[in-house]
Amino acid sequence: MIIVGVDTGGTFTDFIYKKDGKWGVYKLLSTPYNPAEAVLKGLDYILEGKPGNITHGSTVATNAILEKKGANTALITNKGFEDVIDIGRQNRKKLYDLYYQKNKPLVSSTMRFGLDCRVNSNGEVLKEVDLLQLEEIAEKLKIAEAESVAVCFLFSFLNRKHEKVVGDYLREKGFHCCLSSEILPEFREYERLSTTVINAYVSPKMDRYISHIKDNLTEGSKLRIMQSNGGVISAEVAMSESVRTILSGPTGGAVGAFEIGKMAGFDKLITFDMGGTSTDVALINGELPLTVESEIDGFPVKVPMIDIHTVGAGGGSIAYKDDGGALRVGPISAGADPGPICYGKGDQITVTDANLYLGRLIPDHFLGGEMKLDREKLNFYFDKLSKEFGLTTVELAEGILEVANTNMERAIRVISVERGYNPSDFTLFSFGGAGGMHAAFLAKLLHIPRVLVPKNPGILSAIGMILSDIIKDYSKTVMLKEALNFNELKTYFANMEEQGVNDLLNEGVEREDISLELYLDMRYLGQSYEIIVPFTEDYVDTFHEYHKRLYGYANYEKPIEIVNLRLRARGKMEKPEFEKKTKKVADIDKNAILGETDVIFGGKTVKSKVIDRDLLLYGNKFDGPAIVIEYSSTIVIPPEATVEVDSFENLIIYV
């Protein structure tokens, strides 16, 4: 069966595949009006009517929220609590903005319904569900043409009886229904409610999208979807629990960087994924960073996710003059259509256009020569915008790149310096179609000593998807106000362990390939927030260590509270092997140097080598300035930088 990884981005849709024993890559422009079109077109090209084992990362759920194009969603909760989704928390994102307004909830006030039922804080039923009330609400849902219903009752994480009654009733009536006790059986009603509503809002759209792809796949094909937690799930689970796929594309990149970095001997990485529309960064300190405190468009999402920070800076980010007369770049993007000016249809200058204008892209070698870039078309637009600023065209082009680099530098500082990490202790792992053109400059700004650029960096997110295991996350609120001995506490995990194993067996994983990872959410008694700690025999000491590392102190005398239990069930997948070269070659093949080109660095035109990456071998070394070309990306090596090819044919750039 042909193995395929697919990543849908804002500008390109990327494919990595293994066919007839050989690996291949493929890129084509995304189709924003219907992302499935580009996916199916690429799969037709690769599979040629044969069955495939496909892992797909999608932006459908993300875009549905950002563009407010999800399902017509209703909410059923306890009477008197219909507006919790609107009230939220007291936090203000912009403390000193007098005109600050929170985003409007995904469920309007007319689509929120209260049922007069109640479970108390001990999980005891105080008042049962009134079926007549439920019947009245169902009629109102029909009249309002509700496509999806979120059901979230107080304390349903302790007793899910009422949610199950309502869910069973509505499903019998034909409604698509999401229960908080199935999506997130944890305390904190607002976050649980928000996560459930988001799932209800995006699931119908994701259901249609995945179903459309499945219906058009070759018979015998398997489809799995990348999750935000670094693992994959079946298409069927993704259709019902779509909230778990919100960061699936960027997560694939983080997984790929973690696995390839580990193979290359680097376990401290700052990942830098610059695509056409946005840039995603993450800090890997020996392990993938997980969080349960994510947000999307201001709405809390409490399912486990890889901790990724995103900024609106990509190759397609548009440069413009703001109201104050300053040069701005992004977050607005030209996307795939019309795209940058040099693609042929755009009329607004982008970061990609600036790179081409400065000679850092080679027009005849973009996407392996399959897509020609129009350098001449840029002159008119650069002349026009440069006159608005009173700059030369070269100053404008370099200014655009400096502003974009500053935006991305700020994003990296958020995940490193602001969390107590020194970027100079890490390696910058660069990927994405545009990452290689900016990585060396960013590393210099942040005093990062080296940059690692893997093979085929433009499709690394797709590679990460086929490197991922099947992962299922489970959680349970317990609120234990004292530390228990290891064996006693382990019994609390029994039901989750059984469910995790059964779910993975149903996914087709063999029992010997299943492993279970146990975690605790812990805090000092009286604190408001908790830390995720691995569950080991010395879990109390581990908690103190984690707390000291995060906050600078540990209080060994203070009582500890165990808030949630977490279980991660992992099903190992067959993964591609990366060949490690053993023979070093000092001299670069003369055919690898395709010639020289004029590139502008710091306002000066410099003759730079043009190098074909496919002909570079383990042990090769060369100095900048140079432009390294390959099918999925272009890598800019500035003057004074040196490059070495490692045993996995990664480029290590020393800045």
Side-chain angles (χ1 to χ4, degrees), residues 321 325 327 349 357 378-397 400:
K321 187 176 183 179
L327 174 62
I349 295 173
Y357 194 84
L378 299 179
N379 293 331
F380 169 78
Y381 296 97
F382 272 86
D383 287 340
K384 182 181 176 184
L385 190 58
S386 64
K387 285 174 184 174
E388 290 185 35
F389 285 105
L391 302 170
T392 67
T393 54
V394 168
E395 287 172 337
L396 172 64
I400 289 169

Side-chain angles (χ1 to χ4, degrees), residues 247-268:
L247 283 181
S248 69
T251 297
V255 172
F258 173 66
E259 295 291 347
I260 292 172
K262 193 165 51 175
M263 282 187 275
F266 300 101
D267 62 353
K268 294 169 78 73

Side-chain angles (χ1 to χ4, degrees), residues 358-360 597-601 604-608 627 636:
L358 296 170
R360 301 180 188 185
T597 188
D598 289 336
V599 185
I600 298 172
F601 294 103
K604 297 177 182 178
T605 301
V606 183
K607 288 288 183 187
S608 305
I627 305 296
V636 176

Side-chain angles (χ1 to χ4, degrees), residues 330-364:
I332 302 166
S333 173
D337 187 10
I341 295 168
C342 61
Y343 286 10
K345 291 195 292 183
D347 59 4
Q348 292 179 288
I349 295 173
T350 66
V351 172
T352 295
D353 295 317
N355 274 304
L356 178 60
Y357 194 84
L358 296 170
R360 301 180 188 185
L361 275 171
I362 312 299
D364 294 333

Side-chain angles (χ1 to χ4, degrees), residues 263-266 455 578-584 617-620 644-652:
M263 282 187 275
F266 300 101
K455 290 190 75 173
F578 291 80
E579 183 184 359
K580 184 176 183 179
K581 306 294 183 182
T582 54
K583 183 181 178 183
K584 266 192 172 185
L617 300 171
Y618 170 39
N620 286 177
E644 183 178 335
V645 183
D646 76 0
S647 58
F648 290 98
E649 297 183 336
N650 301 309
L651 298 187
I652 311 296

Side-chain angles (χ1 to χ4, degrees), residues 107-353:
V107 181
S108 67
S109 58
T110 58
M111 295 293 283
R112 304 174 204 157
F113 303 95
L115 261 178
D116 191 14
C117 61
R118 195 63 179 268
V119 169
N120 69 12
S121 60
N122 295 318
E124 300 161 346
V125 175
L126 298 182
K127 195 169 189 179
E128 294 286 7
V129 172
D130 185 332
L131 294 179
L132 287 176
Q133 277 188 32
L134 183 55
E135 189 176 336
E136 289 174 9
I137 290 174
E139 286 301 315
K140 291 176 182 177
L141 293 175
K142 282 183 182 177
I143 294 168
E145 298 181 344
E147 297 175 78
S148 187
V149 185
V151 181
C152 185
F153 291 136
L154 294 174
F155 305 111
S156 63
F157 57 89
L158 295 175
N159 186 340
R160 63 187 296 262
K161 178 183 176 183
H162 289 170
E163 284 195 0
K164 189 173 185 309
V165 168
V166 174
D168 290 345
Y169 181 87
L170 293 178
R171 285 164 180 162
E172 279 183 20
K173 296 289 183 180
F175 291 101
H176 180 277
C177 200
C178 299
L179 311 183
S180 76
S181 53
E182 294 175 351
I183 302 297
L184 189 71
E186 295 181 23
F187 85 127
R188 290 203 174 98
E189 68 280 4
Y190 171 57
E191 287 76 11
R192 178 161 49 90
L193 176 60
S194 174
T195 305
T196 307
V197 165
I198 288 173
N199 192 75
Y201 187 73
V202 300
S203 286
K205 190 164 187 176
M206 196 70 170
D207 190 318
R208 290 191 293 270
Y209 173 77
I210 294 174
S211 296
H212 178 57
I213 292 176
K214 284 182 67 180
D215 292 344
N216 287 277
L217 288 178
T218 310
E219 189 176 345
S221 293
K222 292 180 181 178
L223 177 64
R224 286 193 171 95
I225 305 298
M226 189 74 196
Q227 296 181 91
S228 308
N229 65 1
V232 296
I233 47 175
S234 67
E236 290 72 24
V237 174
M239 287 189 274
S240 62
E241 299 182 20
S242 304
V243 70
R244 300 187 185 277
T245 70
I246 281 172
L247 283 181
S248 69
T251 297
V255 172
F258 173 66
E259 295 291 347
I260 292 172
K262 193 165 51 175
M263 282 187 275
F266 300 101
D267 62 353
K268 294 169 78 73
L269 301 170
I270 292 174
T271 68
F272 168 57
D273 176 8
M274 183 178 180
T277 306
S278 61
T279 293
D280 303 301
V281 296
L283 186 140
I284 297 173
N285 189 23
E287 59 185 4
L288 285 167
L290 271 179
T291 181
V292 290
E293 295 178 9
S294 296
E295 286 187 351
I296 179 164
D297 202 26
F299 305 121
V301 183
K302 211 171 183 298
V303 294
M305 294 186 180
I306 302 296
D307 193 1
I308 294 171
H309 184 61
T310 302
V311 290
S317 294
I318 293 169
Y320 62 97
K321 187 176 183 179
D322 71 10
D323 293 339
L327 174 62
R328 296 285 297 275
V329 180
I332 302 166
S333 173
D337 187 10
I341 295 168
C342 61
Y343 286 10
K345 291 195 292 183
D347 59 4
Q348 292 179 288
I349 295 173
T350 66
V351 172
T352 295
D353 295 317

Side-chain angles (χ1 to χ4, degrees), residues 602-618:
K604 297 177 182 178
T605 301
V606 183
K607 288 288 183 187
S608 305
K609 298 182 287 291
V610 179
I611 298 174
D612 184 349
R613 182 171 184 178
D614 292 339
L615 297 179
L616 293 177
L617 300 171
Y618 170 39

